[in-house]
Amino acid sequence: MTQVTTVATAPIAGQKPGTSGLRKKTAVFMGRHYLENFVQSIFDVVGCRDAQGQGKTFVLGGDGRYFNDRAAQVILRMAAANGAARVIVGQGAILSTPAASHLIRLNQTDGGLIMSASHNPGGPNEDFGVKFNMPNGGPAPESVTEAMYQRTSTLTQYHILEAQDVDLAAIGRHQLGPMVVDVVDPVANYADLMQSLFDFPALRAMFASGFTMRMDSMCAVTGPYAVEILENRLGASKGTCVNATPLPDFGGMHPDPNPTWAKALMDEMFSGAAPDFGAASDGDGDRNMVVGRGVYVSPSDSLAVLAANAHLAPGYKAGLKGVARSMPTSAAADRVADALGIGKYETPTGWKFFGNLLDAGKASICGEESFGTGSDHVREKDGLWAVLLWLNILAMRKQSVADILKEHWAAYGRNYYSRHDFEAIEVAKADALFAALRGSLATLPGRQVEGMTVSAADDFAYTDPVDGSVSTGQGVRVMFEDGSRIVYRLSGTGTEGATLRVYLERYAAGPAGLDLDAQEALAPVIRAAHTLAGIADFTGRTAPDVVT
Ligand code: VG1
Ligand code: CO
């Protein structure tokens, strides 16, 4: 017997979704009514029935972190109680974020729920998260997440079905009260999509001829996807994929693919035994880091190289419609867009801002400095997609990653780039720093610092070119006459204190000065960033915790 129960609940404060969904400590999500309140708020805003009263269809999956399996059962019972007709779930409640986006689109569903805190560590003492994606497969826009947030503060009840767990290990159709639950292979459709975009025969031939690679899934969700695509379909040797079993605590790893957290991969790629190509991906599979033998590819450069060479892959042979990047991402991609004569767009941080551009056919490839790149094949950033596009480019150009980068910089000049993160700062101190910085904006133009002159300074605001919606307060930008730039932002994905992100950029037109160490090349910009914001004075910090 199944029966809908309506549970009285009190509004829970502080459920404001950030850059990408709602993230909290796992214990908070597991607290009384917390997950339920947020899920009910999602369903109240998007509705589980359409205007004709027909039940809607959603996709559900997550990155496999601790509480993923329990949360999935709660969400299913709540979807059933709220009138949804069908939920498509990845086997074991597993779906990478890009695979979820693809399933939403492939099945023309009414959206989906993704259980993930992305690159944040997982486990009982770490983080959990829930995000809602729209029928186009992309993250809910600010208007929708704001409505969900408002709803959490007025909610007085939620609906849940009293029922046994659905066997999510068993692929096939299950019944949950009046609702159908279709458990699907989380990998197959996604792998097929990749096969439709990239030249798999050429990639198979490249691996067969001895090309070597290391794919580090950091014990997070991309493991099964990487094994199926790289080892099974493309014939990469067994063991190419490491840390390929998703674990509830990610094996204690911090699944953020950057040189700090993917250190084992970096060490291998800079060792004498380095394979030809290395890559890592994050908790939910939407981010990527690519590394060549002895050479690190900064995400901003990766976006630019992918944009410049995408036409070498079958899925993009007709060329790109435009390139979009988040504001803090370097302008390297803009130079490619200019050379190709296609549109270029600069959006606030967060993938949700790319959705309209992709839907409207204004941009084909998008990227963020935070190791996220993707295209119009889904509406999320996509880690394995970026890895496969790189592989496709390597297969066609038959050059090393290092040579491709060198040629790219020689052609376009080089945007030296780095991000410095100052983590777990007291919120009040971070707020004071920003208040002072914002207060000083008008006085900055003309100011000399480190031998550079400030040309302009503002707080980035964005008007969506498709729907006209305006997003303000998206980060402080300081531009210099020599083309250098500093951006300051507070993270919207952390769960402890505040994280100050400082983004640093300097352009070298070449041919001289193209092969400096990035931190060296940026040294004056870094010093200027400390001076202008008084980082040490406000926070007591003199050096960043993470440098990418
Ligand atoms: C970070 C990144 C941002 C990215 C977001 C979600 O946000 O900077 O570029 O879109 O994470 O990515 P923030 O607000 O902490 O800077 V993911 O892989 O966590 O979905
Ligand atoms: Co992610």
Side-chain angles (χ1 to χ4, degrees):
M1 255 314 275
T2 52
Q3 178 193 329
V4 173
T5 307
T6 296
V7 181
T9 184
I12 294 178
Q15 297 189 97
K16 198 168 181 67
T19 315
S20 176
L22 179 70
R23 289 181 201 183
K24 294 284 172 194
K25 286 288 163 204
T26 308
V28 173
F29 258 106
M30 293 176 76
R32 193 170 154 75
H33 298 333
Y34 193 91
L35 172 69
E36 291 86 346
N37 275 19
F38 188 58
V39 171
Q40 187 64 51
S41 300
I42 292 175
F43 287 150
D44 284 350
V45 168
V46 302
C48 281
R49 295 181 201 273
D50 66 17
Q52 286 74 45
Q54 293 293 314
K56 289 187 175 181
T57 298
F58 298 108
V59 166
L60 174 65
D63 61 16
R65 70 180 59 223
Y66 186 84
F67 191 50
N68 187 90
D69 49 351
R70 295 311 312 148
Q73 299 288 349
V74 170
I75 293 169
L76 286 173
R77 293 209 300 274
M78 290 184 66
N82 279 280
R86 178 178 173 226
V87 177
I88 301 168
V89 194
Q91 186 183 27
I94 294 282
L95 280 178
S96 76
T97 287
S101 182
H102 179 50
L103 282 183
I104 292 170
R105 298 164 63 76
L106 185 69
N107 296 287
Q108 297 182 314
T109 70
D110 301 290
L113 292 100
I114 302 174
M115 302 167 290
S116 172
S118 191
H119 57 285
N120 299 24
N125 301 315
E126 300 293 350
D127 296 347
F128 191 78
V130 174
K131 49 186 176 178
F132 183 79
N133 281 31
M134 305 296 280
N136 75 344
E142 276 188 331
S143 57
V144 174
T145 56
E146 180 59 27
M148 290 169 181
Y149 171 56
Q150 293 302 334
R151 184 68 190 132
T152 62
S153 54
T154 56
L155 197 76
T156 56
Q157 57 181 35
Y158 66 85
H159 312 293
I160 189 160
L161 198 72
E162 299 291 329
Q164 295 300 315
D165 282 1
V166 179
D167 182 3
L168 297 180
I171 287 180
R173 179 156 285 195
H174 306 257
Q175 200 71 37
L176 180 60
M179 188 179 84
V180 164
V181 177
D182 283 322
V183 177
V184 300
D185 179 333
V187 175
N189 290 128
Y190 176 83
D192 292 347
L193 175 65
M194 293 300 113
Q195 195 154 354
S196 75
L197 295 173
F198 301 113
D199 190 342
F200 272 33
L203 295 187
R204 251 196 310 273
M206 182 168 76
F207 280 113
S209 71
F211 181 88
T212 53
M213 163 173 189
R214 182 73 60 239
M215 173 73 216
D216 190 340
S217 291
M218 304 187 82
C219 300
V221 81
T222 57
Y225 297 85
V227 169
E228 169 62 13
I229 294 170
L230 298 172
E231 296 185 8
N232 297 349
R233 296 200 186 188
L234 295 176
S237 58
K238 298 281 172 233
T240 293
C241 304
V242 294
N243 297 319
T245 303
L247 299 174
D249 64 349
F250 303 129
M253 295 180 92
H254 184 161
D256 196 354
N258 62 43
T260 302
W261 297 115
K263 186 166 181 308
L265 176 71
M266 288 298 283
D267 289 348
E268 185 180 8
M269 295 308 297
F270 281 81
S271 76
D276 294 302
F277 186 65
S281 52
D282 75 331
D284 62 332
D286 55 3
R287 296 186 184 196
N288 72 91
M289 177 175 77
V290 296
V291 201
R293 180 179 284 142
V295 57
Y296 163 69
V297 185
S298 92
S300 293
D301 281 341
S302 180
L303 172 65
V305 170
L306 293 180
N309 294 280
H311 62 277
L312 298 175
Y316 306 91
K317 65 172 186 288
L320 306 179
K321 294 169 184 148
V323 181
R325 64 167 172 88
S326 69
M327 179 275 282
T329 303
S330 93
D334 298 16
R335 299 178 194 284
V336 174
D338 288 344
L340 293 173
I342 57 176
K344 56 181 182 197
Y345 300 89
E346 185 179 26
T347 62
T349 294
W351 208 261
K352 57 191 167 205
F353 293 103
F354 293 132
N356 280 346
L357 297 172
L358 292 166
D359 285 347
K362 289 179 179 295
S364 311
I365 284 194
C366 309
E368 295 190 278
E369 49 63 43
S370 53
F371 300 84
T373 31
S375 87
D376 51 9
H377 68 292
V378 289
R379 291 295 180 273
E380 284 279 4
K381 54 190 183 281
D382 187 344
L384 278 170
W385 169 88
V387 170
L388 288 165
L389 181 48
W390 262 100
L391 286 172
N392 206 143
I393 292 166
L394 292 170
M396 294 302 134
R397 290 187 52 169
K398 304 191 193 315
Q399 287 174 297
S400 68
V401 173
D403 287 343
I404 287 176
L405 272 183
K406 264 194 208 114
E407 283 187 16
H408 188 91
W409 293 331
Y412 298 95
R414 180 170 179 185
N415 288 74
Y416 282 102
Y417 188 83
S418 184
R419 185 176 100 184
H420 289 197
D421 290 337
F422 301 80
E423 295 178 341
I425 297 174
E426 260 175 59
V427 173
K429 291 181 178 173
D431 287 347
L433 181 150
F434 269 87
L437 189 58
R438 291 200 162 98
S440 74
L441 286 178
T443 69
L444 290 183
R447 184 164 160 191
Q448 305 262 336
V449 54
E450 297 293 332
M452 307 180 299
T453 308
V454 177
S455 56
D458 67 3
D459 194 351
F460 183 62
Y462 177 68
T463 303
D464 188 297
V466 179
D467 66 17
S469 60
V470 176
S471 304
T472 56
Q474 298 294 325
V476 169
R477 304 191 287 184
V478 182
M479 274 79 77
F480 296 90
E481 281 174 0
D482 69 356
S484 300
R485 184 181 74 151
I486 301 168
V487 175
Y488 304 87
R489 263 187 80 242
L490 286 179
S491 161
T493 59
T495 56
E496 265 177 49
T499 293
L500 167 65
R501 303 202 195 284
V502 182
Y503 309 80
L504 308 140
E505 182 172 357
R506 205 201 102 195
Y507 180 65
L514 290 180
D515 47 14
L516 300 176
D517 169 76
Q519 301 305 315
E520 238 166 72
L522 290 165
V525 186
I526 294 168
R527 287 195 298 270
H530 280 264
T531 306
L532 290 177
I535 294 174
D537 290 346
F538 280 102
T539 69
R541 307 287 180 87
T542 51
D545 300 289
V546 177
V547 172
T548 55

